[in-house]
Amino acid sequence: MHLRTRAMRLAVAAAATLPGWALAAPPADPALAPKPASAATVAAQQAVAAALPQEDGRDAAFAAQGFVASASDPVVRDAAGKAVWNLAAYDWVQGPAPASVNPSLWREVALLRRHGLFAVADGVWQVRGFDVSNMTVIRGQAGWVLVDPLTTKETAAAALALVNAQLGARPVSAVIYSHSHADHFGGVRGVIAEADVTAGKVQVIAPAHFIEEAASENILAGSAMGRRAQYQFGGGLAPGAQGQMGSGIGLGVSSGTITLIAPTDIVSKTGETRVVDGVPMEFQIVSGSEAPSELNVYLPGPKVLLSAEMSTCSLHNILTPRGAKVRDTRAWAGYLDEALRLYGGRSDAVISSHCWPRFGQAEVSRMLASQRDNYRVLHDQTLRLMNRGETPAEIAEALVQPAALAADWFNHGYYGTYNHNAKAVYQFYLGWYDAVPANLNPWPAAERAKRLVAAIGGNAKVLAQGRAAMKAGDYRWASELLSAAVFADPANKAARAALADSYEQQGYQAESAIWRNQFLAAASDLRNGRIASATSSQSQDMIAAVPTQLLLDSVATRLDPVKLAGRHMAINLVMPERKETAGIELTGTAMLARMEAAPGAAATLTAPRRLLLGLLFLKLPLAQLEAAGLKVEGDRAAVEAWLAALDPMPGAFNIAEP
């Protein structure tokens, strides 16, 4: 999963801090409250239920197998006493599915809501349900080897406390990051101290290019992803039958503190081995599948394959709706086939960094083979239709998952879907343009909407047609019409209310948890206004672990060259405590950063890196930082001109309206 990143944590923070994650109080205006499932939605849910695979009880048995215990207090709090996670948030998901939840998604959440410490094999456990991700625990000779220490230090500390309470207290001897998404490294300071890493007491192992890819999502593109992730993960939506229903491969995302300690050991190739605290391990590099930097871990002793996010309890995303680099579906299928050949016949269990395990060599091999075929079908059939000239929308409409693959629950689209994944495969090969010239240079959404509404005959006619489509249960067409009405006139309350209703019914019907969240988040924004967000904030701990070059590349993305009026100049940044010097060249149109002094610099700023980052990321006043020890030499006006040309860190933006 996917950001799943700092962006994910921000996206659900509002819901996570509700007492017990109970449903929010109903709005004072009944018109703003969620609506019940319509007759069309009820019929759609009944059709889904009738087509679902036969329940054989294996998933429920696998999800419960090995249960040891869970925490006695379900609420995890930060140092200030604020709730950041509630283990009991989904306890109400029992019995038949309500009409407002897709019955397949309801089943998935009922399995995902199990939480606690689970034994997997001799010397291997998992803590599940303490965050959106799982923490895998391996008994070493001297201490615990932890794979993926959750999203935040608070939930990671709570998970480790449960491990020590149930299995006996031991130090952590090593941490392995399976990949570059924050829910797989963000809790690291809850389980180890950096001083122990520096002293060589604790190893931190990660795949090649881990830091660069973590920075790419969380810093370079973090602001945009953060806002979009509010929709993907249901930011501000409390769990409920008419609200948030998890993320498809986990529940919510904890709202504590994301941290990062840089790796001390890098794995670069499939087949590399390590003995980590006395435990033999083999690694498979699967970068380019779910994350651009990712590895799997095979434990030959207990015969366990940790397939990080290459295989989980759901079809995954080829392009996550929050935004990310498009993933290579062909390579993904290839990695699954490689894992099947390398480990299928010698694994008694396959575990992942989300969801529950599968046990037995036959089951392991069957899952890897079936998911391999699922991704291969997505890839090959998209290209088959693409090479016939079909557009992304046409392919997504035509492509249907084969019945043989749909018979396996773990191939269902609780997270990714055939629909948006087919479009992503198309984008991977051909980009965003579908070759229809009308789509090469269309009007922006608001302008297009005004012209469309005028062509139809005005907002009143558009609203009437939208309501007629709603009455007929055609919510897709209703949403297109009503979205045009809202983009043409955002103040039109009737159009906003009707659009919210059309989005809501599509959310209720969605099997994908993240489709549900996007529809319901949009409905909430239209009814109640955009929720307050802290998407412009950065994890200071993550920034501290990221190389200076990457941070300055991020600053360059905020330069408005118009404000420099074509001015050419250079500025040097000196960080004595790191023995680093960075040269900033302003070319008149761009900002270039190099980790060497710029010749002929107009000015030099000397300070600890933290002060320079405060200047560049937080835009703290130059005079304030000078009082704290920052030194300016040379042309102060040049420095001030550069700083004035940097946009502040972006905040939230509208999505469901212009």
Side-chain angles (χ1 to χ4, degrees), residues 98-171:
S100 56
V101 181
N102 181 291
S104 184
L105 177 59
W106 180 263
R107 173 191 181 274
E108 182 82 347
V109 177
L111 294 167
L112 287 170
R113 72 182 180 84
R114 296 174 180 271
H115 55 82
L117 176 66
F118 296 80
V120 174
D122 184 28
V124 183
W125 298 261
Q126 282 194 308
V127 180
R128 303 200 287 269
F130 274 57
D131 211 315
V132 70
S133 51
N134 301 333
M135 184 167 78
T136 299
V137 181
I138 304 165
R139 184 175 56 222
Q141 289 180 351
W144 301 122
V145 178
L146 305 180
V147 185
D148 291 348
L150 308 184
T151 313
T152 63
K153 70 177 185 180
E154 292 84 1
T155 53
L160 181 59
L162 175 64
V163 170
N164 284 330
Q166 294 298 322
L167 305 180
R170 311 177 91 215

Side-chain angles (χ1 to χ4, degrees), residues 505-645:
Q505 295 302 319
Q506 290 177 84
Y508 289 166
Q509 293 181 29
E511 182 181 49
S512 167
I514 59 176
W515 275 41
R516 176 187 177 93
N517 289 339
Q518 289 170 97
F519 282 122
L520 297 189
S524 176
D525 277 7
L526 290 164
R527 289 169 177 158
N528 307 304
R530 175 160 44 85
I531 66 168
S533 168
T535 53
S536 63
S537 69
Q538 297 283 348
S539 165
Q540 296 303 311
D541 198 73
M542 183 179 298
I543 287 174
V546 170
T548 302
Q549 177 70 64
L550 291 173
L551 295 177
L552 294 176
D553 287 346
S554 174
V555 173
T557 67
R558 292 170 26 231
L559 179 77
D560 182 352
V562 174
K563 294 179 180 178
L564 286 176
R567 184 173 179 178
H568 293 247
M569 60 183 175
I571 295 169
N572 284 329
L573 307 178
V574 179
M575 293 150 275
E577 87 287 6
R578 297 174 65 92
K579 298 180 180 179
E580 288 184 343
T581 297
I584 304 298
E585 181 185 355
L586 299 164
T587 69
T589 56
M591 171 185 150
L592 305 176
R594 304 180 182 92
M595 294 309 296
E596 58 186 25
T604 297
L605 305 183
T606 303
R609 192 177 81 153
R610 61 181 177 81
L611 294 187
L612 293 174
L613 296 182
L615 183 71
L616 299 175
F617 281 85
L618 303 180
K619 299 210 76 172
L620 297 175
L622 183 59
Q624 176 183 334
L625 294 173
E626 285 180 294
L630 186 147
K631 183 180 180 181
V632 181
E633 297 175 285
D635 187 351
R636 183 185 183 90
V639 175
E640 291 175 337
W642 172 46
L643 296 174

